[in-house]
Amino acid sequence: MVGNPDFLTGRGQDQAPEFQELESPEGELHLRFYVPSGGEFALPATGIREVLSKEPDRITAIPNASPLLLGTINIRGRVIWVSDLGQFLGDTAVLNTDRPEIPIIAVEDQDTMLGLAIDRIVGMDWLDIDQVQMPTNVPDSMAPFLRGEWVLDQESNQFLRLLDQVAILRSARWAA
């Protein structure tokens, strides 16, 4: 067989240094974002179907629906509800819909999909799940939807709270 032996064995000496020193990330991949009140949250990447931005007029308001719901959107032929995640979690600050686009995180469990409208996205981050602690000073309205929190800065009381998207999707609050 004719060929480059380094290619066949995978032990090439001429590999670029950035490939030789690539380290595997620590922890699990999460999406970090803010709700209107300024609270920072994270969702596991595995529970997120899609992240998108929609113009406010592309969210169709539905009369007599729960005040937690902004309306519906169409994602590739599938109509899903969009909620104000901050309001759902008990925040008093209302999502600003008077802007060009609203970031929406589509979460899914089995055949149920829901859009969570948020204030802004921070980005994707590898977070160590072993560092998650029990949530502290959490409003009762939020507690059932948290898996825990990471302490970012103890002195300034900054926490990154880990949400449970399945608990959010299956909540009885949607029926209210």
Side-chain angles (χ1 to χ4, degrees):
M1 187 168 196
V2 179
N4 179 344
D6 288 341
F7 176 76
L8 296 174
T9 61
R11 291 193 293 261
Q13 300 303 316
D14 58 347
Q15 287 181 337
E18 62 266 19
F19 291 121
Q20 291 175 350
E21 296 181 25
L22 188 64
E23 294 180 27
S24 62
E26 295 290 320
E28 296 176 15
L29 193 58
H30 290 78
L31 178 69
R32 293 174 67 166
F33 57 90
Y34 286 95
V35 294
S37 65
E40 187 178 4
F41 293 89
L43 276 168
T46 53
I48 297 172
R49 171 70 183 265
E50 190 168 339
V51 177
L52 53 148
S53 288
K54 288 281 187 186
E55 300 85 17
D57 63 351
R58 306 294 282 164
I59 301 173
T60 306
I62 305 296
N64 303 319
S66 165
L68 300 173
L69 296 166
L70 299 175
T72 60
I73 58 172
N74 186 325
I75 298 181
R76 283 181 294 294
R78 185 171 175 185
V79 176
I80 68 163
W81 286 98
V82 176
S83 77
D84 177 339
L85 180 60
Q87 292 271 296
F88 175 81
L89 294 172
D91 274 355
T92 53
V94 179
L95 183 70
N96 175 16
T97 56
D98 186 23
R99 58 188 189 177
E101 291 189 326
I102 298 171
I104 298 170
I105 304 166
V107 293
E108 186 175 39
D109 180 56
Q110 295 174 354
D111 279 341
T112 306
M113 190 168 15
L114 175 68
L116 305 173
I118 57 168
D119 188 52
R120 64 188 165 95
I121 291 175
V122 175
M124 299 298 286
D125 218 346
W126 292 96
L127 300 170
D128 187 353
I129 207 76
D130 294 334
Q131 300 295 316
V132 172
Q133 302 176 4
M134 288 301 297
T136 55
N137 299 325
V138 175
D140 291 341
S141 59
M142 189 185 297
F145 309 106
L146 293 178
R147 289 186 184 171
E149 65 188 11
W150 288 276
V151 178
L152 301 178
D153 186 355
Q154 189 75 49
E155 289 180 27
S156 64
N157 236 9
Q158 284 186 305
F159 301 97
L160 173 60
R161 294 193 163 130
L162 177 60
L163 291 172
D164 181 345
Q165 76 277 4
V166 176
I168 292 170
L169 281 165
R170 306 226 176 276
S171 172
R173 280 187 201 169
W174 302 121

